[in-house]
C-alpha cells in the first residue's frame, strides 16, 4: 500500500475550520479510505478527506430527508436569521477562509478574499429573500371558485459544486435552498473540498439544525449516482463542465427530478471602434485573467474592430506581461497556478493549434514549472481555432479582427454556449441592439465584471438552465402549488 503523505494545511487563526471529515447527519465522519488534496502551486499534499462509499452518501440523503419537515416548518424569518448569522461568521473568518481557498485552488489571496466576501453576500442576500417567497391570489375562473398560488420548498436538494470558486459556489446554492426551506446534500469538487467543509462548520456554528446541511466527499461518480437515483432527492443543482452536467441532468430528468445547471461558456468580448480602448483593456484583464482564466464567464474570444485592433492588442499584451506568477499565498502574486496538469495541457494545445492555423503570438505561450501558464495574447486567431470554439479555461487571449456590427454579432452568436458576453462601445443604439441580439444569459457593457448576488447568474443554450442569485435564484428551489377552493354562494 502507498504510504500516506502527511498533509500540510495552511496556517489558520482558527485551525478548527480545517476539517478532514465529511458532515453526515450532524456527525463529522472520517470514513475508511481517504483522498489526498494538493496545493496546485506546489503539488504538496494539504490534507485528506474521506472517500465515502455510496452507503454513507445514502445516510446523508436520509439525514436531509429526516431534517426536512422541521426545517420547512420554520418561519422564513427564522431561516433567514440562520443565513444572516452564517453570513456574519463567514465575514468574521474571511482571512482563514480565503487562505483555505488559495491553498487548495491556487488563486491569489486578494482574489480569494473577494470570493469569500461574495460567499457571505449570497448568504446575506438569501437571508433577506427568504421572506419574499410570495404567492398569488388569482381572480376565480368561476363564480364559486377561489384561486391561490403558494410556493413550497422543492425538498431535499443534491448540490454539486466545482473547484474554480470553491467557496462562493457553495453559498450560491445552499443559501437559496435553505431560504426556501429545502435541506441539502452537497458534493464539493474532490480537488477543493476544504472550503465547503469550513463553510459547513460555520453553518453549524450559526445554528443549522442537524441534517439540514450535509457535505459528502470522495470520488465523484458513486456520489453522483446516489444524488441522481435516490427518489428522496427532489432536485439536482450542478455547476461544472457541460459534458458532466449533460449526463447528470439527463439521468436526473429520467427520474423526474428538477434540475438547475450552470455549465461552460465561450464568452465573446467585443470591442467596437468607438470604445474607450484603455477601459476595454482594463475590463479584458479582469474578464480574461482573473482566476488565471479559470472562470465560466471568462472572455474566451476577443472580437476587435479593425480600427482599434492593433492598439488594443498592444496594450493587452503589455498589461498581461505585468502579471506576476506565483503561489496564491505569496504576497506579490497576481496570477496563480492552473488547477492541474490537464488544465496546462489544454492551454498548451489551444495555443499550438492557433499558431498552426496562422495566429501570431504577441506574448506568453508557455507553461512554467509544470503548474503555471504564462499570460498569453495571440492575434489573428482564426474563428475556427480551438481557442475560439472551446472554452480554454486558462490565461490565453485570442484576438479576431472584424469590420462591422452585424459581422461581430453573428460571430459572437456562432457558439453552442450562451453564458456571458462583453461589449465595449459608446454607441447607445448599438448597445440596445446588441443587448437584444446577443444570445447570452448575461451581458456586460463597458465592464469586465458583472457578477453580484443581486443579479441573476446563468446561461442559455448549452450553458445551462435556471438562475442563481437575485430574486430569481429563490424560485429554483420552490415549487408552485395551485389552490382551488370551492366557495358556494349563500
Ligand atoms: P471540471 O472539468 O471543471 O473539473 P467537472 O464537471 O468535472 O468540471 O466537475 C464539476 C463537479 O462535478 C465536481 O464537483 C466534480 O467532482 C463533479 N463530477 C464530475 N463527474 C461527476 C459524476 N460522474 N457524478 C457526479 N459528480 C461529478
Amino acid at each position: 500500500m502507498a504510504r500516506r503523505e502527511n498533509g500540510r494545511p495552511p496556517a489558520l487563526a482558527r485551525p478548527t475550520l480545517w476539517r478532514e471529515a465529511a458532515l453526515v447527519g450532524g456527525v463529522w465522519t472520517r470514513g475508511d479510505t481517504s483522498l489526498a488534496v494538493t496545493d496546485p502551486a506546489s503539488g504538496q499534499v494539504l490534507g485528506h478527506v474521506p472517500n465515502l462509499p455510496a452507503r454513507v452518501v445514502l445516510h446523508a440523503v436520509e439525514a436531509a430527508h429526516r431534517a426536512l419537515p422541521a426545517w420547512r416548518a420554520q418561519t422564513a424569518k427564522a431561516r433567514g436569521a440562520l443565513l444572516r448569522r452564517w453570513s456574519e461568521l463567514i465575514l468574521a473568518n474571511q482571512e482563514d477562509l480565503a487562505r483555505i481557498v488559495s491553498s487548495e485552488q491556487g488563486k491569489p489571496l486578494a482574489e480569494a478574499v473577494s470570493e469569500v466576501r461574495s460567499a457571505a453576500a449570497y448568504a446575506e442576500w438569501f437571508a433577506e429573500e427568504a421572506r419574499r417567497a410570495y404567492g398569488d391570489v388569482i381572480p376565480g375562473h368561476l363564480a364559486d371558485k377561489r384561486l391561490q398560488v403558494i410556493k413550497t420548498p422543492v425538498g431535499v436538494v443534491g448540490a454539486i459544486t466545482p473547484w474554480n470558486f470553491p467557496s462562493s459556489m457553495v453559498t450560491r446554492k445552499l443559501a437559496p435552498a435553505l431560504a426556501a426551506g429545502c435541506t441539502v446534500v452537497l458534493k464539493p469538487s474532490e480537488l477543493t473540498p476544504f472550503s465547503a467543509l469550513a463553510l459547513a462548520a460555520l453553518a453549524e456554528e450559526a445554528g443549522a439544525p442537524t441534517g439540514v446541511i450535509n457535505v459528502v466527499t470522495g470520488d465523484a461518480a458513486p456520489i453522483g449516482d446516489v444524488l441522481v437515483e435516490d427518489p428522496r432527492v427532489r432536485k439536482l443543482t450542478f455547476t461544472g463542465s457541460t459534458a458532466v452536467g449533460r449526463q447528470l441532468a439527463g439521468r436526473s430528468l429520467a427520474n423526474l427530478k428538477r434540475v438547475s445547471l450552470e455549465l461552460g461558456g465561450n464568452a465573446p468580448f467585443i470591442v467596437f471602434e468607438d470604445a474607450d480602448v484603455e477601459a476595454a483593456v482594463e475590463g479584458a484583464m479582469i474578464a480574461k485573467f482573473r482566476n488565471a482564466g479559470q472562470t465560466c464567464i471568462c472572455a474566451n474570444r476577443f472580437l476587435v474592430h479593425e480600427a482599434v485592433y492593433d492598439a488594443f492588442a498592444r496594450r493587452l499584451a503589455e498589461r498581461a506581461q505585468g502579471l506576476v506568477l506565483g503561489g496564491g499565498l505569496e504576497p506579490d502574486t497576481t496570477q496563480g497556478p492552473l488547477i492541474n496538469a490537464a488544465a496546462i495541457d489544454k492551454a498548451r494545445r489551444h495555443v499550438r493549434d492557433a499558431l498552426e492555423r496562422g495566429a501570431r503570438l504577441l506574448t506568453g505561450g508557455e507553461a512554467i514549472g509544470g503548474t503555471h501558464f504564462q499570460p498569453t495574447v495571440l492575434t489573428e486567431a482564426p474563428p475556427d481555432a480551438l481557442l475560439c470554439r472551446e472554452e480554454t479555461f486558462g490565461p490565453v487571449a485570442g484576438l479576431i479582427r472584424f469590420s462591422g456590427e452585424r459581422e461581430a454579432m453573428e460571430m459572437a452568436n456562432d457558439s453552442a454556449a450562451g453564458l456571458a458576453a462583453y461589449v465595449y462601445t459608446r454607441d447607445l443604439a448599438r448597445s440596445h441592439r446588441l443587448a437584444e441580439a446577443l444570445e447570452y444569459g448575461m451581458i456586460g457593457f463597458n465592464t469586465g465584471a458583472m457578477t453580484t448576488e443581486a443579479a441573476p447568474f446563468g446561461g442559455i443554450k448549452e450553458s445551462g438552465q435556471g438562475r442563481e442569485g437575485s430574486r430569481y435564484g429563490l424560485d429554483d428551489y420552490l415549487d408552485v402549488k395551485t389552490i382551488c377552493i370551492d366557495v358556494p354562494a349563500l
Side-chain angles (χ1 to χ4, degrees), residues 126 129-134 175-181 258 467 469-478:
F126 285 106
E129 285 300 296
R131 289 202 278 173
R132 319 256 184 267
Y134 298 136
L178 265 57
R258 284 185 59 181
R467 291 293 179 271
S470 80
R471 70 185 167 89
Y472 300 97
L474 193 62
D475 288 340
D476 272 25
Y477 297 90
L478 291 167

CSV table of all heavy atoms in Angstrom, one decimal, residues 126 129-134 175-181 258 467 469-478:
chain,number,residue,atom,x,y,z
A,126,PHE,N,-29.8,35.9,0.5
A,126,PHE,CA,-31.0,35.0,0.7
A,126,PHE,C,-31.5,35.0,2.1
A,126,PHE,O,-32.7,34.5,2.3
A,126,PHE,CB,-30.6,33.6,0.2
A,126,PHE,CG,-30.5,33.6,-1.3
A,126,PHE,CD1,-29.3,33.5,-2.0
A,126,PHE,CD2,-31.7,33.6,-2.1
A,126,PHE,CE1,-29.3,33.5,-3.4
A,126,PHE,CE2,-31.7,33.6,-3.5
A,126,PHE,CZ,-30.5,33.6,-4.1
A,129,GLU,N,-34.1,37.4,1.1
A,129,GLU,CA,-35.1,36.9,0.2
A,129,GLU,C,-36.0,35.8,0.8
A,129,GLU,O,-37.1,35.5,0.3
A,129,GLU,CB,-34.4,36.3,-1.0
A,129,GLU,CG,-33.9,37.3,-2.0
A,129,GLU,CD,-34.9,38.2,-2.6
A,129,GLU,OE1,-35.8,37.8,-3.3
A,129,GLU,OE2,-34.9,39.4,-2.3
A,130,ALA,N,-35.5,35.1,1.9
A,130,ALA,CA,-36.3,34.1,2.5
A,130,ALA,C,-37.8,34.5,2.7
A,130,ALA,O,-38.7,33.7,2.4
A,130,ALA,CB,-35.7,33.6,3.8
A,131,ARG,N,-38.0,35.7,3.1
A,131,ARG,CA,-39.3,36.2,3.4
A,131,ARG,C,-40.1,36.7,2.2
A,131,ARG,O,-41.2,37.3,2.4
A,131,ARG,CB,-39.2,37.3,4.5
A,131,ARG,CG,-38.8,36.8,5.8
A,131,ARG,CD,-39.1,37.7,6.9
A,131,ARG,NE,-38.2,38.7,7.1
A,131,ARG,CZ,-38.3,39.7,8.0
A,131,ARG,NH1,-39.5,39.8,8.7
A,131,ARG,NH2,-37.4,40.7,8.1
A,132,ARG,N,-39.5,36.6,1.0
A,132,ARG,CA,-40.2,37.1,-0.2
A,132,ARG,C,-40.7,36.0,-1.1
A,132,ARG,O,-40.9,36.3,-2.3
A,132,ARG,CB,-39.2,38.0,-1.0
A,132,ARG,CG,-38.4,38.9,-0.2
A,132,ARG,CD,-38.8,40.4,-0.1
A,132,ARG,NE,-37.8,41.1,0.6
A,132,ARG,CZ,-37.9,41.3,1.9
A,132,ARG,NH1,-38.9,40.9,2.6
A,132,ARG,NH2,-37.0,42.0,2.5
A,133,ALA,N,-40.9,34.8,-0.5
A,133,ALA,CA,-41.4,33.7,-1.4
A,133,ALA,C,-42.9,33.9,-1.5
A,133,ALA,O,-43.7,33.0,-1.2
A,133,ALA,CB,-41.0,32.4,-0.8
A,134,TYR,N,-43.3,35.1,-2.1
A,134,TYR,CA,-44.7,35.4,-2.2
A,134,TYR,C,-45.4,34.5,-3.2
A,134,TYR,O,-44.8,34.1,-4.2
A,134,TYR,CB,-44.9,36.8,-2.7
A,134,TYR,CG,-44.3,37.9,-1.8
A,134,TYR,CD1,-43.6,38.9,-2.3
A,134,TYR,CD2,-44.5,37.8,-0.5
A,134,TYR,CE1,-43.1,39.9,-1.5
A,134,TYR,CE2,-44.0,38.8,0.4
A,134,TYR,CZ,-43.3,39.9,-0.2
A,134,TYR,OH,-42.8,40.8,0.6
A,175,ALA,N,-27.5,28.7,0.1
A,175,ALA,CA,-28.3,29.8,0.8
A,175,ALA,C,-29.7,29.9,0.2
A,175,ALA,O,-30.7,29.9,1.0
A,175,ALA,CB,-27.6,31.2,0.7
A,176,PRO,N,-29.9,29.9,-1.1
A,176,PRO,CA,-31.3,29.9,-1.6
A,176,PRO,C,-32.1,28.6,-1.2
A,176,PRO,O,-33.3,28.7,-1.0
A,176,PRO,CB,-31.2,30.1,-3.1
A,176,PRO,CG,-29.8,29.6,-3.4
A,176,PRO,CD,-29.0,30.0,-2.2
A,177,ALA,N,-31.4,27.5,-1.2
A,177,ALA,CA,-32.0,26.2,-0.9
A,177,ALA,C,-32.6,26.3,0.6
A,177,ALA,O,-33.7,26.0,0.8
A,177,ALA,CB,-31.1,25.1,-1.0
A,178,LEU,N,-31.7,26.7,1.5
A,178,LEU,CA,-32.1,26.8,2.9
A,178,LEU,C,-33.2,27.9,3.1
A,178,LEU,O,-34.1,27.7,3.8
A,178,LEU,CB,-30.9,27.1,3.8
A,178,LEU,CG,-30.2,25.9,4.4
A,178,LEU,CD1,-29.8,24.9,3.4
A,178,LEU,CD2,-29.0,26.3,5.3
A,179,ALA,N,-33.0,29.0,2.4
A,179,ALA,CA,-34.0,30.1,2.5
A,179,ALA,C,-35.4,29.6,2.1
A,179,ALA,O,-36.4,29.9,2.7
A,179,ALA,CB,-33.6,31.3,1.6
A,180,ALA,N,-35.4,28.8,1.0
A,180,ALA,CA,-36.7,28.2,0.5
A,180,ALA,C,-37.3,27.2,1.5
A,180,ALA,O,-38.5,26.9,1.4
A,180,ALA,CB,-36.5,27.6,-0.9
A,181,GLY,N,-36.5,26.6,2.4
A,181,GLY,CA,-37.0,25.6,3.2
A,181,GLY,C,-36.5,24.2,2.8
A,181,GLY,O,-37.1,23.2,3.3
A,258,ARG,N,-36.2,17.9,-10.5
A,258,ARG,CA,-35.9,19.2,-11.1
A,258,ARG,C,-34.4,19.4,-11.2
A,258,ARG,O,-33.6,18.8,-10.4
A,258,ARG,CB,-36.5,20.3,-10.1
A,258,ARG,CG,-38.0,20.4,-10.4
A,258,ARG,CD,-38.6,21.5,-9.6
A,258,ARG,NE,-38.0,22.8,-9.9
A,258,ARG,CZ,-38.4,23.9,-9.3
A,258,ARG,NH1,-39.3,23.9,-8.4
A,258,ARG,NH2,-37.9,25.1,-9.7
A,467,ARG,N,-31.4,30.1,-12.7
A,467,ARG,CA,-30.6,31.2,-12.3
A,467,ARG,C,-30.2,31.2,-10.9
A,467,ARG,O,-30.9,30.7,-10.0
A,467,ARG,CB,-31.4,32.5,-12.6
A,467,ARG,CG,-31.6,32.8,-14.1
A,467,ARG,CD,-30.3,33.1,-14.8
A,467,ARG,NE,-30.5,33.4,-16.2
A,467,ARG,CZ,-30.4,32.4,-17.2
A,467,ARG,NH1,-30.2,31.2,-16.9
A,467,ARG,NH2,-30.5,32.8,-18.5
A,469,GLY,N,-28.5,33.5,-7.5
A,469,GLY,CA,-28.5,34.9,-7.0
A,469,GLY,C,-29.8,35.6,-7.4
A,469,GLY,O,-30.7,35.0,-8.2
A,470,SER,N,-30.0,36.8,-6.9
A,470,SER,CA,-31.2,37.6,-7.2
A,470,SER,C,-32.5,37.0,-6.7
A,470,SER,O,-32.5,35.9,-6.2
A,470,SER,CB,-31.3,37.9,-8.7
A,470,SER,OG,-31.9,36.8,-9.4
A,471,ARG,N,-33.6,37.7,-7.0
A,471,ARG,CA,-34.9,37.1,-6.5
A,471,ARG,C,-35.2,35.8,-7.4
A,471,ARG,O,-35.9,35.0,-6.9
A,471,ARG,CB,-36.0,38.1,-6.6
A,471,ARG,CG,-36.4,38.5,-7.9
A,471,ARG,CD,-37.5,39.6,-7.8
A,471,ARG,NE,-37.7,40.3,-9.1
A,471,ARG,CZ,-38.7,39.9,-9.9
A,471,ARG,NH1,-39.4,38.8,-9.7
A,471,ARG,NH2,-38.8,40.5,-11.1
A,472,TYR,N,-34.7,35.7,-8.6
A,472,TYR,CA,-34.9,34.6,-9.4
A,472,TYR,C,-34.3,33.3,-8.8
A,472,TYR,O,-34.7,32.2,-9.0
A,472,TYR,CB,-34.4,34.7,-10.8
A,472,TYR,CG,-35.1,35.9,-11.5
A,472,TYR,CD1,-34.4,37.2,-11.6
A,472,TYR,CD2,-36.3,35.8,-12.1
A,472,TYR,CE1,-35.0,38.2,-12.2
A,472,TYR,CE2,-36.9,36.9,-12.8
A,472,TYR,CZ,-36.2,38.1,-12.8
A,472,TYR,OH,-36.8,39.2,-13.4
A,473,GLY,N,-33.2,33.5,-8.1
A,473,GLY,CA,-32.5,32.4,-7.5
A,473,GLY,C,-33.3,31.6,-6.5
A,473,GLY,O,-33.1,30.4,-6.4
A,474,LEU,N,-34.2,32.2,-5.8
A,474,LEU,CA,-35.0,31.5,-4.9
A,474,LEU,C,-36.0,30.6,-5.6
A,474,LEU,O,-36.3,29.5,-5.1
A,474,LEU,CB,-35.8,32.5,-4.0
A,474,LEU,CG,-36.5,32.0,-2.7
A,474,LEU,CD1,-35.4,31.5,-1.8
A,474,LEU,CD2,-37.2,33.1,-2.1
A,475,ASP,N,-36.5,31.0,-6.7
A,475,ASP,CA,-37.5,30.2,-7.5
A,475,ASP,C,-37.0,28.9,-7.9
A,475,ASP,O,-37.8,27.9,-8.0
A,475,ASP,CB,-37.9,31.0,-8.8
A,475,ASP,CG,-38.8,32.2,-8.5
A,475,ASP,OD1,-39.4,32.3,-7.4
A,475,ASP,OD2,-38.8,33.1,-9.4
A,476,ASP,N,-35.7,28.8,-8.0
A,476,ASP,CA,-35.1,27.5,-8.4
A,476,ASP,C,-35.3,26.4,-7.3
A,476,ASP,O,-35.1,25.2,-7.6
A,476,ASP,CB,-33.6,27.6,-8.7
A,476,ASP,CG,-33.4,28.0,-10.2
A,476,ASP,OD1,-34.3,28.6,-10.8
A,476,ASP,OD2,-32.3,27.7,-10.7
A,477,TYR,N,-35.6,26.8,-6.1
A,477,TYR,CA,-35.8,25.9,-5.0
A,477,TYR,C,-37.2,25.8,-4.5
A,477,TYR,O,-37.5,25.3,-3.4
A,477,TYR,CB,-34.8,26.3,-3.9
A,477,TYR,CG,-33.4,26.1,-4.4
A,477,TYR,CD1,-32.7,27.2,-4.9
A,477,TYR,CD2,-32.7,24.9,-4.3
A,477,TYR,CE1,-31.4,27.1,-5.4
A,477,TYR,CE2,-31.4,24.8,-4.8
A,477,TYR,CZ,-30.8,25.9,-5.3
A,477,TYR,OH,-29.5,25.7,-5.8
A,478,LEU,N,-38.1,26.4,-5.3
A,478,LEU,CA,-39.6,26.4,-4.9
A,478,LEU,C,-40.4,25.8,-5.9
A,478,LEU,O,-40.2,26.0,-7.1
A,478,LEU,CB,-40.0,27.9,-4.7
A,478,LEU,CG,-39.4,28.7,-3.5
A,478,LEU,CD1,-39.7,30.2,-3.6
A,478,LEU,CD2,-39.9,28.1,-2.2
